[in-house]
Amino acid sequence: MQEFIQTIVNGLTTGCLYALIALGYTMVYGVLKLLNFAHGDVYMVGAYIGYFVIRWFGGPAALTIPVPLLLLIMFALASAGCGLLGMAMERFAYRPLRDAPRIAPLITALGISFVLENTILLLFGGFTRSYQTPSFIPFSTGIHWGALRIDVVQIMILAVSVVMMLGLRALVNRTTLGKSMRAVASDREAAEMLGINVNRTISLTFLIGSAMAGVAGVMSGLAFNQISNTIGFLAGLKAFTAAVVGGIGSIPGAMIGGIFIGLCESFSLSYISTEYSDLIVFGILIATMLIRPQGIFGQPPLQKV
Amino acid sequence: MSPIGVDEWVARSGERRDDGSGWRKLLARADARVGWWQRLALVTLVGLVAGQLLSNVNVQTVAFNSLLYALLALGLNIAVGWAGLLDLGYIAFFGFGAYGYAVFSSTALGSDGSGGAHLAAIESIPIVVVAAGVFGVIIGLIALRLSGDYLAIVTLFVGQAFMEVVNNVDPGTLGGVNGLFGLDPLHSFGGRVESPLGFYYLALILVVVLAGILHLLDTSRTGRAWRALRDDELAASAMTVPVNKLKVMAFSFGAMVGALGGTVFAAEQTSVFPTNFTENILILIYACLVLGGVGSIAGAILGGLVVTIGEQMLSSPHDAGYLFYGLILIALVTRIRPWRKLAVVLGGVVGFGFAAHAIVGAISSAAVAGSPGSGGFIGSAVGDYVIVPGNPATYGNILYVVLICALIVVVRLHGTRRLLAVIPTVYIAACCWESRLIVNPAITTQIMIGAILIVTMAARPEGLLGKRRVETVL
């Protein structure tokens, strides 16, 4: 029973991280109908920013500032850095290709992902770096109940993710920006004719999505302790699966999908096999595609002639 | 958006006038006259003569690799270029071919390191290629359910799943992370192919035959149907084009060519490892196809040659400098007209460099203490020119970031401002190259390959030899 609850908690934590990345995918897909392959690498860059913040403030063992302040700075810098990176990507790589054949921005996205991955490799080397979270957030903190262990980091991930998702929901449903995002998503040309600044809306969508990926990167570094320049690829794939399972373009879908994928992965890790957990996620993707291609919350696409 | 009320013939008169003059027109006319089989014969002839001239074993291996990538790009072109399906799982087909050949030509199917199938190439290669075709049909059947973008990500996952499978499933047969090695040399009918030169000729034959078949396919009813499907799936299906069947066919044909490339690769390397089939190789094949021109047979072959040879040059510190500075010079010469402006820019770069070096040297001698990464002629030529401090790594990292920002600025500016911005950018590029990029040639190569994709798509989406395609945007 305790193992079961532990599995659920672990699944929820990873699931929240996937959900945060998936939100970026799904928002960008919504407004631009573009799959941003480089999104996973933005998450990776976020993890590196967090790492260097820790180093900047004295390293994990000898922090010069209190831990909550450190976390705040990590989140702030990672979301700012990644947000700007996402905006720059949109501005300089995707915007010139907006009316090009559909395949062109996808190939560009592939190229950006590759360049980002190798840029980090060039700048910081290929070895795995560790956040060494236990040295500043000790293991003894958190909830212990027999064999069940819920770390402070896990609680924080759940809390931060829920706050961010609620915030995003409010942003999309309540604010003018959210309204223009929905308008651009449903019909870009019509939105433009109605006086919505489409370029600005798309830019801000990239900013918000990438900022969330950056925060997810920092939190994954805190939770899993290990970061390298290749973590973005697989995380991006899984987050994309989450977005598809939930229904791409749908924001609650990305959240539910992310948590679902996280739970599946965690259960297959504890009960089935460690080697095949990635393949199981892949199987879920294929099954979703075959049974309900529009996902849980998506609407079946209409083909315009 | 074309303006309303302009007659099409009038509107295109300028285009006809710019049709070309001088040698360009002659070339275009010759190009229009020569038939496809004459071109193919010419390519064969050039390939055979080149084979005679390749004396060095390393050069022969590079020649083989470039033809192998040309072959792989040809296969990728079927799905991506003709049918318009972004197939990111192509690497799995390549790996399938290589592993298939390896399993049939080693002790993998035997027990305790002896026995095994040891089939002749004439048996194993057709088996593997046909099996890959079936594999492609299966992937294609999944692809039927998906529109363009979903397809891309599912196929990307297929590539990843292939890696998981060869790493984890049945290490006894597939070798796990250690791969399979000690494969039989390629043999059939008592003959063997073992030397790099032999493999070069084999690859040449395969590329030429395949290019011929693909040309016939491209101009056939199927090829036209693929293009119709690519340009507008809904319209094509309304015109009774069997969309589903064609998609599956494109995947399957691509898979067969990819697997064929895989078998030759495994035979030449006499081993296969899971790391041979990573995302990096996929991007490399895409770079070949995109640079050469998506949808063009000649483009795929040219792209394979250019990218592989470029990659090889980058990995040797001696040649890399020539490639780098040569590319910058070519870019400047072709993009900046008239020649007076070009002279100003080149003179500006030289002047700026010496000024910057003198100023920085006067402030701190440690800042110019390092020696450039290039050796030989280039190293001595730029030694007193670029700023390379004692600890080039940190400085080079900063410079790399500055360089990317500078490039973005250059792209954004226009007219005279752009010309002025080019001057420091070229100098920064040279400094960054000497202090950082050339020190890690492997990573630099990867960055360049990624940059090929981005730059080609932005500047010339049709690649070197492709035709510009206009898509109706809904």
Side-chain angles (χ1 to χ4, degrees):
Chain A
M1 186 59 199
Q2 277 171 345
E3 194 197 347
F4 183 74
I5 297 175
Q6 182 79 56
T7 310
I8 288 185
V9 172
N10 292 348
L12 281 178
T13 349
T14 35
C16 281
L17 295 181
Y18 289 149
L20 287 182
I21 312 174
L23 283 171
Y25 264 121
T26 217
M27 284 164 67
V28 166
Y29 192 87
V31 295
L32 217 50
K33 301 285 171 286
L34 162 77
L35 261 186
N36 184 8
F37 285 115
H39 195 63
D41 295 288
V42 173
Y43 152 89
M44 179 268 297
V45 170
Y48 269 85
I49 294 178
Y51 174 80
F52 283 106
V53 170
I54 298 180
R55 286 271 301 271
W56 184 261
F57 289 107
L63 282 177
T64 53
I65 52 168
V67 173
L69 185 61
L70 174 82
L71 293 178
L72 214 60
I73 295 174
M74 278 161 86
F75 288 148
L77 284 184
S79 53
C82 292
L84 287 179
L85 178 66
M87 262 174 93
M89 239 152 57
E90 192 276 329
R91 181 67 190 82
F92 298 111
Y94 296 140
R95 195 178 295 178
L97 299 177
R98 212 171 274 170
D99 290 327
R102 291 287 299 268
I103 214 165
L106 287 176
I107 291 177
T108 299
L110 210 59
I112 292 179
S113 153
F114 202 59
V115 167
L116 270 181
E117 222 169 84
N118 283 292
T119 296
I120 296 293
L121 181 64
L122 179 79
L123 299 186
F124 307 125
F127 52 91
T128 308
R129 287 164 185 267
S130 168
Y131 269 51
Q132 296 175 11
T133 322
S135 15
F136 56 94
I137 304 177
F139 276 131
S140 54
T141 54
I143 300 169
H144 290 242
W145 178 49
L148 178 68
R149 258 194 46 214
I150 305 175
D151 294 342
V152 172
V153 174
Q154 288 183 313
I155 298 170
M156 184 196 72
I157 290 177
L158 292 175
V160 171
S161 309
V162 168
V163 168
M164 284 181 74
M165 288 176 200
L166 290 179
L168 183 70
R169 216 181 128 82
L171 179 97
V172 171
N173 289 335
R174 301 268 169 81
T175 64
T176 326
L177 173 64
K179 222 178 217 173
S180 36
M181 272 160 72
R182 281 180 286 148
V184 173
S186 70
D187 191 330
R188 193 163 78 214
E189 266 183 22
E192 198 159 18
M193 283 174 203
L194 292 174
I196 291 171
N197 188 339
V198 171
N199 283 340
R200 185 171 153 271
T201 309
I202 292 176
S203 254
L204 288 175
T205 309
F206 266 85
L207 177 86
I208 297 167
S210 308
M212 288 200 297
V215 172
V218 171
M219 293 201 292
S220 86
L222 289 170
F224 307 125
N225 252 321
Q226 300 217 313
I227 59 169
S228 75
N229 66 321
T230 49
I231 54 172
F233 179 67
L234 206 57
L237 269 185
K238 284 181 185 163
F240 176 79
T241 311
V244 170
V245 168
I248 197 146
S250 144
I251 287 175
M255 302 178 192
I256 303 290
I259 290 169
F260 176 69
I261 294 293
L263 286 174
C264 287
E265 196 187 44
S266 149
F267 273 95
S268 60
L269 277 174
S270 2
Y271 293 105
I272 306 175
S273 133
T274 45
E275 283 104 359
Y276 299 126
S277 67
D278 295 342
L279 284 182
I280 289 168
V281 173
F282 177 53
I284 294 171
L285 177 64
I286 299 285
T288 313
M289 294 284 173
L290 297 180
I291 301 163
R292 196 178 157 83
Q294 70 270 35
I296 304 171
F297 286 94
Q299 272 118 34
L302 276 177
Q303 256 185 325
K304 279 187 273 186
V305 184
Chain B
M1 194 78 65
S2 66
I4 299 165
V6 173
D7 185 73
E8 199 185 336
W9 189 83
V10 174
R12 287 175 56 196
S13 69
E15 196 180 301
R16 280 196 305 279
R17 198 185 53 227
D18 299 337
D19 203 22
S21 55
W23 61 273
R24 235 179 237 206
K25 196 166 196 171
L26 279 179
L27 212 64
R29 220 178 261 173
D31 186 55
R33 279 201 177 185
V34 179
W36 66 274
W37 60 269
Q38 287 151 323
R39 287 167 207 233
L40 218 52
L42 190 69
V43 170
T44 320
L45 197 68
V46 171
L48 289 176
V49 172
Q52 292 300 314
L53 298 176
L54 302 172
S55 49
N56 184 327
V57 175
N58 291 333
V59 179
Q60 290 168 352
T61 312
V62 174
F64 164 76
N65 275 331
S66 51
L67 287 178
L68 175 68
Y69 279 98
L71 183 78
L72 290 171
L74 280 174
L76 185 63
N77 184 40
I78 300 174
V80 177
W82 291 346
L85 306 165
L86 193 67
D87 175 10
L88 297 179
Y90 187 66
I91 197 74
F93 301 133
F94 176 50
F96 183 88
Y99 265 91
Y101 176 83
V103 164
F104 285 128
S105 325
S106 67
T107 54
L109 292 178
S111 55
D112 301 330
S114 61
H118 297 291
L119 294 184
I122 195 71
E123 297 158 352
S124 66
I125 291 180
I127 294 175
V128 170
V129 168
V130 169
V134 175
F135 181 34
V137 168
I138 295 169
I139 303 291
L141 285 175
I142 298 173
L144 288 185
R145 310 277 308 201
L146 315 170
S147 61
D149 309 342
Y150 291 84
L151 175 74
I153 207 96
V154 168
T155 48
L156 190 59
F157 233 133
V158 169
Q160 187 64 26
F162 175 78
M163 288 286 287
E164 305 266 341
V165 167
V166 294
N167 268 319
N168 297 318
V169 176
D170 196 6
T173 311
L174 296 179
V177 285
N178 297 324
L180 293 169
F181 37 87
L183 309 184
D184 306 339
L186 193 78
H187 63 100
S188 271
F189 305 122
R192 309 180 137 199
V193 182
E194 272 178 304
S195 65
L197 194 61
F199 276 105
Y200 166 77
Y201 286 125
L202 178 69
L204 180 67
I205 294 167
L206 289 177
V207 167
V208 167
V209 171
L210 192 70
I213 295 173
L214 287 180
H215 176 83
L216 293 177
L217 190 63
D218 187 27
T219 48
S220 75
R221 194 184 156 84
T222 312
R224 289 195 301 274
W226 269 332
R227 271 170 284 149
L229 164 70
R230 174 192 74 188
D231 289 341
D232 192 334
E233 186 176 328
L234 200 59
S237 75
M239 296 293 162
T240 72
V241 170
V243 171
N244 290 352
K245 198 177 121 197
L246 283 165
K247 278 187 183 175
V248 175
M249 256 172 83
F251 259 97
S252 181
F253 285 9
M256 281 157 79
V257 178
L260 180 68
T263 57
V264 181
F265 169 77
E268 199 265 349
Q269 198 184 238
T270 65
S271 58
V272 284
F273 305 105
T275 48
N276 294 137
F277 311 104
T278 54
E279 194 203 359
N280 296 4
I281 308 295
L282 177 74
I283 307 265
L284 187 61
I285 304 173
Y286 262 92
C288 299
L289 181 60
V290 166
L291 184 69
V294 178
S296 147
I297 294 176
I301 296 175
L302 183 72
L305 300 184
V306 170
V307 171
T308 323
I309 294 170
E311 191 206 8
Q312 193 59 39
M313 279 181 79
L314 273 175
S315 68
S316 103
H318 183 251
D319 299 339
Y322 290 102
L323 185 65
F324 181 76
Y325 292 110
L327 278 180
I328 289 184
L329 204 61
I330 290 173
L332 290 180
V333 170
T334 51
R335 300 293 296 183
I336 301 179
R337 297 270 165 79
W339 64 269
R340 280 182 218 89
K341 283 185 183 172
L342 179 69
V344 169
V345 169
L346 289 179
V349 169
V350 174
F352 183 87
F354 279 113
H357 190 272
I359 293 170
V360 173
I363 295 170
S364 146
S365 59
V368 290
S371 53
S374 310
F377 170 69
I378 290 180
S380 55
V382 299
D384 294 331
Y385 177 67
V386 296
I387 305 170
V388 181
N391 60 336
T394 319
Y395 158 81
N397 283 350
I398 298 168
L399 218 52
Y400 176 76
V401 177
V402 173
L403 174 62
I404 289 182
C405 297
L407 282 174
I408 288 176
V409 169
V410 169
V411 172
R412 294 295 304 145
L413 292 176
H414 293 285
T416 319
R417 287 184 186 174
R418 178 184 271 188
L419 277 185
L420 290 178
V422 163
I423 296 172
T425 307
V426 171
Y427 183 66
I428 294 171
C431 290
C432 183
W433 174 262
E434 294 299 340
S435 57
R436 192 76 188 94
L437 292 177
I438 201 168
V439 183
N440 286 84
I443 304 173
T444 306
T445 313
Q446 306 286 348
I447 292 177
M448 294 268 182
I449 289 168
I452 287 179
L453 293 182
I454 303 173
V455 172
T456 314
M457 277 298 141
R460 198 179 154 87
E462 71 271 29
L464 293 174
L465 293 181
K467 289 199 177 67
R468 184 170 274 277
R469 184 153 72 85
V470 181
E471 186 168 304
T472 44
V473 180
L474 291 171

